[in-house]
Amino acid sequence: GTPTAVGTTNVLLGATNATGTDNATLVVTVVAAGVAPVITNNPLTAPGTVGTAFAFTITASGTPTSYTAAPLPAGLSIVAATGVITGTPTAVGTTNVLLGATNATGTGNATLVVTVAAAGVAPNITNNPLTAPGTVGTAFSFTITATGTPTGYTAAPLPAGLSIAAATGVITGTP
């Protein structure tokens, strides 16, 4: 038949003969017809460092069959079939990369900002603004963002109830 509604249905299948019956579950997923992909990466930023391996994967809904990314910073390339951008950046700079995810219906686009820092440069914290409101008894989260490919993060002193994940720069807790 022709599906009339979007969704996932678990269908109980059965087969019977004179000897007995067997059952199995078939999962039927019906998607909307004619929907172009939507790029779902969040955030759409990617840091890199000259001379250091880089990798970013485009993610999208709508079952894309091919991907594009242009212009890419020097030293990077994309595998069109998978949406994986890899390579080793060779120049410092910020590039606005137009991403594309295509299926038979159309193409979804988004802009990825790739910022390549110089090798051997100390990190630079880039959060803006540098304020983070919190409320006593309410969960809190703040992520330190920085250029220069940091290998660790610190934050001190933190308000009571908060802590930092040194490897990721994420400050969480309940003040």
Side-chain angles (χ1 to χ4, degrees):
T2 303
T4 60
V6 172
T8 300
T9 304
N10 293 327
V11 179
L12 182 60
L13 304 177
T16 303
N17 66 17
T19 306
T21 301
D22 187 33
N23 293 307
T25 301
L26 171 67
V27 179
V28 178
T29 301
V30 178
V31 296
V35 176
V38 173
I39 294 175
T40 57
N41 294 87
N42 187 18
L44 278 165
T45 58
T49 303
V50 170
T52 301
F54 175 93
F56 180 88
T57 301
I58 301 170
T59 57
S61 63
T63 315
T65 54
S66 66
Y67 300 87
T68 58
L72 286 170
L76 303 184
S77 62
I78 185 170
V79 177
T82 63
V84 176
I85 300 169
T86 59
T88 302
T90 59
V92 171
T94 298
T95 306
N96 292 325
V97 179
L98 180 62
L99 304 178
T102 302
N103 66 16
T105 302
T107 300
N109 293 299
T111 300
L112 170 68
V113 179
V114 178
T115 303
V116 178
V121 174
N124 180 33
I125 294 174
T126 58
N127 293 87
N128 188 13
L130 276 169
T131 58
T135 303
V136 171
T138 302
F140 174 89
S141 180
F142 178 85
T143 302
I144 300 170
T145 58
T147 61
T149 315
T151 56
Y153 298 86
T154 60
L158 286 170
L162 301 184
S163 63
I164 184 169
T168 62
V170 177
I171 300 168
T172 58
T174 302

